[in-house]
């Protein structure tokens, strides 16, 4: 493993979110005492065999003691807030019962999982209505990683994630099993879900009051749903599974004494080679796994993890056994598919805060088509200027990608030799990706500042097999609006869905009041937005 330690963020400070668009500083409300970091329990399967495993994931309403005083009304998966960590093994067939016990429709998006689209993938075309159960199944055919599940009912994704609908989904495999890294969940391996929220009267959430089309910042940091958490460190080395779960906020992480973090994994795989850093940026939707060695500390010491100058987590060092294990130089070897040089490079642009390739999202429009299993280059450009732009974390459903270059130069050191599905793109920058879809379906690609995707910075690609063509039935905005209206007992024109509805994207209110049923409709428009070009 290289001895080089990177001591600064790979992104220029001028591009940090704190320099743009109504940034809000973090603070801790009065009276909050330090408390142990909440560690989501592992979700127990309903049944398991050597080849298959069955789970039930139920979206529920709950109450959570987040701040002193009244409990906060929250939503979660099999838990009042966030969820239980689902662990699946590479090679297994996974059967999931999706149960919606919320008062409104929701969806279940498997962010980072390679599953068929659009229904299993769980975007806006796969609503599960209140009181309803649906069955999905998929085979895990990807390497060890931290992926996650979150609600994705366009254009109410941000509002439902704000209420708490997000949880970790861990993939394990034989390669991870043999690596000399911490693996005792809750002892030397901790999921760390970064979020921020604003609490109003009686400690309640009010997303409508906080809504900002540029992205919603909260003032109170939540780590696994915990405010002011600490971790009792009982082993020399600790593995931290970072997840950027915020709607908008970036997390610029470092320890107060510049303790080295060794990154071993990214979104969808281990890194080919470990990378040592003292500063790490985590943007919305990204996952990064690091190992921290506390060997220089002693029983009673305290080490703090910060974002900028704000303390997030306190690590309390206890007596531990010496650990002299060494990471191998190669953790993982990615498969790099060949690209037919005759294929044109796809051009994808993220424009303003609400458009892809100059268009706002429309549920029944297919923006691009790509052959299943065919590797292609995508050039993804953030068209905003440095003066008025921000980082846009670009995410593709249903696959992973390899980062080829940034503005024609090498990717960041921790982006090389790792499968990713979410990548921050700086203002004025073009990032080249190597993209190959393993499964057929209709999949979304979008900015993962969730208010941006809700506002229309999202598009759809159909992944097809020319020998076995399929017709997909895609949801329409009117059906979803009518459903929300019926659930809330109001008129369709009174439904408040921030983003596309309020900004007029893909929504014709005359259609919304026409009484469309809960049945899906076939897509009818095949646009060329983002089509391949030389």
């Amino acid at each position: 493993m290289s001895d080089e330690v990177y001591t600064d963020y790979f992104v220029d400070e001028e591009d940090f979110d704190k320099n743009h668009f109504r940034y809000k500083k973090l603070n801790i409300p009065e009276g909050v005492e330090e408390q142990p970091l909440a560690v989501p329990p592992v979700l127990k399967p309903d049944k398991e065999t050597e080849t298959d495993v069955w789970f039930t994931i139920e979206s529920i309403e709950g109450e959570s003691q987040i701040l002193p005083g009244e409990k906060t009304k929250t939503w979660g998966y099999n838990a009042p807030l966030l969820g239980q960590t689902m662990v699946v093994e590479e090679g297994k067939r996974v059967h999931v019962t999706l149960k919606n016990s919320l008062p409104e429709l929701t969806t279940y998006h498997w962010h980072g999982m390679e599953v068929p689209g659009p229904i299993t993938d769980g975007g806006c075309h796969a609503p599960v209505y209140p009181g309803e159960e649906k069955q999905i199944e998929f085979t895990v055919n990807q390497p060890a990683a931290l992926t996650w599940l979150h609600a994705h009912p366009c254009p109410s994704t941000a509002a439902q994630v704000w209420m708490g609908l997000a949880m970790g989904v861990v993939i394990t495999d034989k390669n991870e099993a043999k690596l000399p890294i911490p693996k005792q969940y809750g002892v030397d391996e901790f999921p760390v879900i970064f979020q921020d929220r604003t609490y109003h009267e009686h400690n309640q959430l009010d997303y409508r009051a906080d809504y900002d089309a540029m992205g919603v910042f909260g003032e109170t940091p939540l780590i696994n749903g915990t405010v002011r958490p600490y971790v009792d460190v009982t082993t020399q080395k600790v593995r931290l599974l970072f997840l950027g779960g915020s709607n908008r906020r970036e997390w610029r992480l470092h320890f107060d004494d510049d303790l080295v973090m060794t990154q071993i994994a990214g979104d969808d795989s281990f890194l080919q080679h470990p990378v040592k850093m003292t500063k790490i940026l985590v943007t919305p939707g990204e996952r990064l796994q690091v190992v921290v060695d506390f060997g220089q500390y002693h029983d009673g010491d305290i080490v703090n993890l910060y974002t900028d100058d704000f303390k997030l987590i306190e690590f309390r060092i206890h007596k531990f056994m010496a650990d002299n294990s060494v990471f191998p130089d190669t953790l993982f070897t990615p498969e790099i598919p060949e690209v037919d040089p005759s294929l044109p490079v796809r051009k994808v642009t993220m424009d303003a805060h609400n458009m892809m390739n100059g268009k706002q999202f429309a549920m029944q429009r297919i923006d691009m088509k790509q052959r299943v299993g065919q590797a292609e280059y995508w050039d993804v450009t953030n068209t905003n200027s440095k003066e008025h732009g921000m980082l846009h974390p670009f995410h593709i459903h249903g696959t992973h990608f390899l980062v080829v270059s940034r503005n024609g130069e090498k990717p960041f050191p921790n982006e090389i030799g790792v499968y990713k599905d979410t990548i921050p793109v700086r203002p004025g920058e073009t990032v080249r990706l190597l993209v190959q879809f393993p499964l057929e379906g209709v999949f979304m690609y979008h900015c993962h500042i969730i208010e941006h995707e809700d506002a229309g910075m999202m598009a759809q690609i159909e992944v097809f097999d020319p020998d076995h063509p399929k017709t997909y039935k895609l949801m329409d905005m009117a059906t979803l609006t009518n459903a929300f209206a019926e659930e809330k007992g109001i008129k369709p024109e009174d439904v408040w869905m921030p983003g596309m509805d309020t900004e007029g994207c893909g929504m014709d209110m005359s259609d919304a009041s026409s009484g469309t049923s809960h049945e899906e409709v076939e897509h009818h428009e095949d646009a060329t937005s983002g089509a391949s070009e030389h």
Side-chain angles (χ1 to χ4, degrees):
M1 182 171 64
S2 171
D3 291 328
E4 183 172 8
V5 178
Y6 297 94
T7 58
D8 208 347
Y9 302 106
F10 301 130
V11 172
D12 295 334
E13 185 170 354
E14 65 180 326
D15 295 325
F16 291 169
D17 62 3
K18 66 180 180 180
N19 297 321
H20 296 279
F21 297 111
R22 299 186 283 279
Y23 177 81
K24 293 181 181 178
K25 291 186 176 181
L26 294 169
N27 67 74
I28 301 293
E30 290 185 13
V32 178
E33 302 289 338
E34 293 174 342
Q35 52 194 316
L37 176 70
V39 179
V42 174
L43 180 64
K44 293 180 180 179
D46 301 330
K47 183 173 68 170
E48 187 168 13
T49 67
E50 287 189 8
T51 58
D52 293 67
V53 62
W54 287 259
F55 292 96
T56 298
I57 295 179
E58 182 180 8
S59 301
I60 63 173
E61 296 180 284
E63 290 187 328
S64 303
Q65 190 71 63
I66 297 171
L67 301 177
E70 293 188 38
K71 291 184 177 181
T72 304
K73 293 185 186 334
T74 53
W75 292 356
Y77 297 116
N78 302 83
L81 175 63
L82 300 179
Q84 302 184 30
T85 300
M86 183 175 170
V87 180
V88 294
E89 185 180 344
E90 184 187 22
K92 282 215 168 179
R93 187 70 177 169
V94 181
H95 309 258
V96 186
T97 298
L98 304 173
K99 183 177 181 181
N100 182 8
S101 296
L102 299 172
E104 65 185 53
L105 69 88
T106 188
T107 74
Y108 301 77
H109 169 51
W110 303 86
H111 182 133
M113 295 290 287
E114 296 176 10
V115 298
I119 302 304
T120 305
D121 175 65
C124 62
H125 303 301
V128 181
Y129 295 94
E132 190 174 66
E133 292 185 10
K134 286 191 175 178
Q135 312 293 326
I136 62 168
E137 58 183 57
F138 53 86
T139 298
V140 181
N141 187 25
Q142 58 190 108
L146 169 64
T147 68
W148 60 307
L149 177 72
H150 65 78
H152 207 305
C154 326
S156 295
T157 299
Q160 291 199 357
V161 172
W162 192 257
M163 288 297 295
L165 292 180
M167 68 176 240
V169 181
V170 173
I171 302 169
T172 62
D173 67 5
K174 292 178 181 178
N175 177 55
E176 180 189 31
K178 67 184 182 184
L179 291 175
I181 57 176
K183 302 187 190 79
Q184 301 175 79
Y185 185 83
V187 177
D188 61 7
E189 176 193 9
F190 298 92
V192 183
I193 302 173
F194 294 105
Q195 295 179 311
D196 53 328
R197 298 290 183 266
T198 296
Y199 297 95
H200 296 266
E201 190 175 3
H202 305 298
N203 292 339
Q204 300 308 308
L205 298 167
D206 188 343
Y207 181 75
R208 187 165 186 169
D210 296 323
Y211 176 70
D212 185 337
M214 292 298 173
V216 176
F217 288 103
E219 289 97 338
T220 301
L222 283 180
I223 315 298
N224 296 356
T226 310
V227 183
R228 292 193 71 191
Y230 66 84
V231 174
D232 287 313
V233 176
T234 59
T235 61
Q236 180 178 327
K237 293 179 180 177
V238 173
R239 177 180 172 191
L240 303 174
L241 285 66
F242 295 148
L243 190 164
S246 289
N247 287 33
R248 166 69 180 97
R249 186 179 297 275
E250 303 156 8
W251 302 86
R252 287 170 290 276
L253 305 176
H254 62 94
F255 283 95
D256 49 6
D257 59 354
D258 285 332
L259 178 63
V260 171
M261 294 174 276
T262 302
Q263 185 176 344
I264 60 170
D267 294 334
D268 296 321
S269 76
F270 282 93
L271 271 65
Q272 186 166 10
H273 307 297
V275 176
K276 295 179 179 179
M277 294 174 282
T278 59
K279 294 182 172 65
I280 291 180
L281 173 71
V282 183
T283 63
E286 280 194 295
R287 288 89 63 215
L288 301 88
Q289 298 186 36
V290 303
V291 173
V292 182
D293 188 338
F294 291 103
Q296 70 191 65
Y297 301 100
H298 303 93
D299 190 0
D301 288 345
I302 292 176
V303 188
N304 298 306
L305 180 69
Y306 282 76
T307 182
D308 295 330
D309 58 355
F310 193 91
K311 187 171 86 170
L312 293 174
I313 308 174
E314 185 174 288
F315 290 85
R316 299 178 178 181
I317 311 301
H318 297 268
K319 189 175 181 180
F320 51 73
M321 298 287 290
D323 180 353
N324 298 315
S325 60
V326 177
F327 298 133
D329 181 60
T330 299
L331 299 171
F332 171 75
T333 302
E335 294 182 10
I336 304 177
E338 291 189 12
V339 177
D340 183 339
S342 69
L343 287 174
V345 175
R346 292 189 183 271
K347 308 293 185 181
V348 177
T349 63
M350 293 183 284
D351 313 309
H353 74 283
N354 63 345
M355 290 184 290
M356 305 281 289
N357 289 85
K359 294 184 178 182
Q360 288 181 294
F361 176 69
M363 286 191 185
Q364 295 185 300
R365 187 181 70 229
I366 300 298
D367 298 282
M368 296 196 298
K369 292 185 178 183
Q370 185 166 327
R371 185 170 180 164
V372 66
Q374 179 173 276
E376 299 189 17
Y377 291 123
W378 289 28
D379 278 357
V380 180
T381 302
N382 180 345
T383 61
N384 293 317
S385 67
K386 285 279 189 181
E387 292 75 21
H388 303 289
M390 63 177 82
L391 287 174
H392 286 307
F394 178 76
H395 169 55
I396 307 178
H397 288 214
T399 190
H400 61 250
F401 51 73
L402 292 164
V403 185
V404 178
S405 64
R406 285 182 173 272
N407 279 345
E409 304 293 332
K410 280 187 176 182
F412 300 151
N414 65 337
E415 296 171 345
I416 298 172
V418 59
Y419 292 155
K420 288 187 63 61
D421 59 55
T422 306
I423 183 83
V425 184
R426 295 170 289 188
E429 183 177 40
T430 295
V431 177
R432 175 162 290 188
L433 309 176
L434 177 52
V435 182
Q436 180 186 46
F437 287 91
L439 299 168
E440 299 164 68
V442 174
F443 299 98
M444 298 172 178
Y445 52 99
H446 58 81
C447 176
H448 216 284
I449 293 174
I450 311 182
E451 283 74 26
H452 290 189
E453 66 177 88
D454 276 350
M457 190 181 276
M458 182 159 62
Q460 297 183 112
I461 185 166
E462 180 179 339
V463 179
F464 69 96
D465 179 352
D467 297 327
H468 301 90
K470 294 181 180 179
T471 299
Y472 297 96
K473 293 185 177 182
L474 302 183
M475 180 55 64
D476 65 284
M477 193 69 179
T479 297
L480 287 181
T481 304
N482 279 330
F484 277 115
E486 181 180 332
E487 292 154 6
K488 296 175 184 296
I490 60 178
K491 296 178 180 179
E493 56 266 33
D494 294 331
V495 171
W496 184 79
M497 287 187 285
M500 289 188 291
D501 178 45
T502 57
E503 298 179 23
C505 174
M507 183 60 204
D508 183 344
M509 290 312 300
S510 62
D511 290 340
S513 59
S514 65
T516 308
S517 71
H518 284 177
E519 295 181 3
E520 295 166 323
V521 295
E522 293 186 10
H523 72 260
H524 54 82
E525 183 180 356
D526 184 8
T528 57
S529 169
S532 298
E533 56 183 72
H534 288 283

